[in-house]
């Protein structure tokens, strides 16, 4: 049936290109859940190299997940996506009004997305459980030797976590920068989850981050974004 003139047209559903285990995709899933936004999950299997498919490269020429599609907007970076969602969808603000707290949230997000995660990205690291997979970017393994890539990665995560622990320990409430979930939490949660489940980081060194991890694991928006809950996770097939 034709739309009546002037009738509101339902906005197209958002689409998220994601890989279940990708911590960058995990951040965006949390932000979408917090803001109550439904989205279509578009799985991109990094281990099969689907991020290098010419069709996907039209979505993100960097060949990375995540990428968000919102109507004619296509955004291929979790930081940019988070800020876009914040501007466009005001429900559950991720950035506080207070300028110092806002800057702190941006700083912590940046520590995670430029100071930690890129150093354990697939293009840098070969995980021991990926050895059976023909993967061309064995950069760190070639540099530091077989079996040394995980300790090397642990050093990088420890450096970032020491900084983050220092920054949040004075101002954390229930969450990283107070009693509301903010951008810092959206970025910290997947990084701490990866540190605990994949990189055997000793969280006793980071008591505030360890406590935050427990809070995140209890929060429905964070629970629904967990890697194992995603449609492309091995356990969910
Ligand atoms: N700065 C980008 C980084 C994205 C990124 O590194 N994505 C990873 C998954 S977490 C990826 O697609 N890696 C594929 C590869 O390294 O080949 C963002 O925050 O979205």
């Amino acid at each position: 049936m034709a739309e009546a003139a002037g009738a509101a047209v339902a906005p197209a559903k958002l689409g998220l290109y994601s890989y279940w285990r990708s911590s960058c995709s995990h951040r965006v899933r949390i932000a979408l859940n917090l803001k109550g936004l439904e989205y279509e999950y578009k799985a991109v299997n990094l281990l099969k190299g689907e991020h290098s498919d010419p069709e996907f490269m039209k979505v993100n020429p960097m060949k990375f997940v995540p990428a968000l599609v919102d109507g004619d907007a296509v955004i291929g970076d979790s930081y940019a996506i988070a800020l876009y969602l914040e501007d466009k969808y005001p429900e559950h603000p991720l950035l506080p009004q207070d300028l110092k707290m806002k800057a702190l949230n941006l700083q912590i997000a940046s520590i995670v997305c430029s100071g930690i995660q890129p150093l354990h990205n697939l293009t840098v690291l070969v995980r021991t459980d990926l050895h059976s997979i023909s993967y061309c970017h064995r950069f760190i393994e070639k540099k530091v030797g077989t079996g040394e890539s995980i300790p090397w990665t642990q050093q990088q995560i420890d450096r970032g976590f020491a900084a983050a622990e220092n920054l949040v320990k004075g101002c954390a409430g229930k969450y990283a920068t107070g009693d509301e979930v903010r951008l810092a939490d959206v970025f910290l949660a997947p990084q701490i989850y990866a540190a605990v489940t994949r990189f055997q980081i000793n969280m006793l060194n980071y008591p505030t981050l360890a406590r935050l991890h427990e809070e995140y694991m209890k929060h429905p928006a964070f629970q629904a974004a967990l890697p194992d809950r995603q449609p492309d996770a091995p356990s969910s097939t």
Side-chain angles (χ1 to χ4, degrees), residues 167-178:
L167 287 166
V168 297
K169 72 178 175 208
C171 54
K174 187 171 181 190
Y175 299 107
T177 63

Side-chain angles (χ1 to χ4, degrees), residues 109-189:
S110 201
I111 286 173
V112 171
C113 78
S114 7
I116 305 178
Q117 180 275 334
L119 298 165
H120 62 71
N121 202 354
L122 278 179
T123 46
V124 175
L125 181 69
V126 172
R127 297 233 335 136
T128 46
D129 56 347
L130 298 184
H131 279 180
S132 58
I133 287 148
S134 154
Y135 201 81
C136 56
H137 301 291
R138 300 188 164 185
F139 182 75
I140 284 303
E141 192 176 66
K142 279 184 197 151
K143 296 279 176 203
V144 298
T146 310
E148 287 303 309
S149 61
I150 293 294
W152 182 87
T153 307
Q154 286 169 332
Q155 277 176 32
Q156 316 312 317
I157 297 175
D158 278 323
R159 193 164 73 106
F161 274 12
E165 174 75 21
N166 235 327
L167 287 166
V168 297
K169 72 178 175 208
C171 54
K174 187 171 181 190
Y175 299 107
T177 63
D179 287 329
E180 301 294 332
V181 174
R182 298 294 193 195
L183 192 75
D185 302 294
V186 169
F187 278 69
L188 280 173

Side-chain angles (χ1 to χ4, degrees), residues 22-186:
S22 145
S23 64
C24 306
S25 307
H26 189 171
R27 297 166 195 157
V28 176
R29 297 193 298 255
I30 295 170
L32 288 165
N33 294 345
L34 286 169
K35 288 184 172 288
L37 298 167
E38 285 187 21
Y39 61 94
E40 185 185 343
Y41 191 99
K42 297 168 180 283
V44 179
N45 190 325
L46 298 184
L47 298 188
K48 288 188 180 158
E50 289 175 1
H51 51 315
S52 296
D53 285 353
E55 277 311 300
F56 182 70
M57 285 171 63
K58 289 182 199 159
V59 175
N60 188 354
M62 275 297 282
K63 306 192 233 174
F64 284 153
V65 287
L68 181 84
V69 180
D70 183 13
D72 61 1
V74 183
I75 309 151
D77 180 274
S78 66
Y79 200 80
I81 294 169
L83 296 184
Y84 170 86
L85 292 176
E86 181 68 354
D87 285 342
K88 180 151 181 198
Y89 301 101
E91 301 83 10
H92 193 117
L94 297 175
L95 289 170
Q97 292 292 315
D98 179 87
L99 287 186
K100 263 175 68 179
M101 294 310 271
K102 181 175 175 179
L104 179 62
N105 273 274
L106 294 170
Q107 183 181 356
I108 291 169
S110 201
I111 286 173
V112 171
C113 78
S114 7
I116 305 178
Q117 180 275 334
L119 298 165
H120 62 71
N121 202 354
L122 278 179
T123 46
V124 175
L125 181 69
V126 172
R127 297 233 335 136
T128 46
D129 56 347
L130 298 184
H131 279 180
S132 58
I133 287 148
S134 154
Y135 201 81
C136 56
H137 301 291
R138 300 188 164 185
F139 182 75
I140 284 303
E141 192 176 66
K142 279 184 197 151
K143 296 279 176 203
V144 298
T146 310
E148 287 303 309
S149 61
I150 293 294
W152 182 87
T153 307
Q154 286 169 332
Q155 277 176 32
Q156 316 312 317
I157 297 175
D158 278 323
R159 193 164 73 106
F161 274 12
E165 174 75 21
N166 235 327
L167 287 166
V168 297
K169 72 178 175 208
C171 54
K174 187 171 181 190
Y175 299 107
T177 63
D179 287 329
E180 301 294 332
V181 174
R182 298 294 193 195
L183 192 75
D185 302 294
V186 169

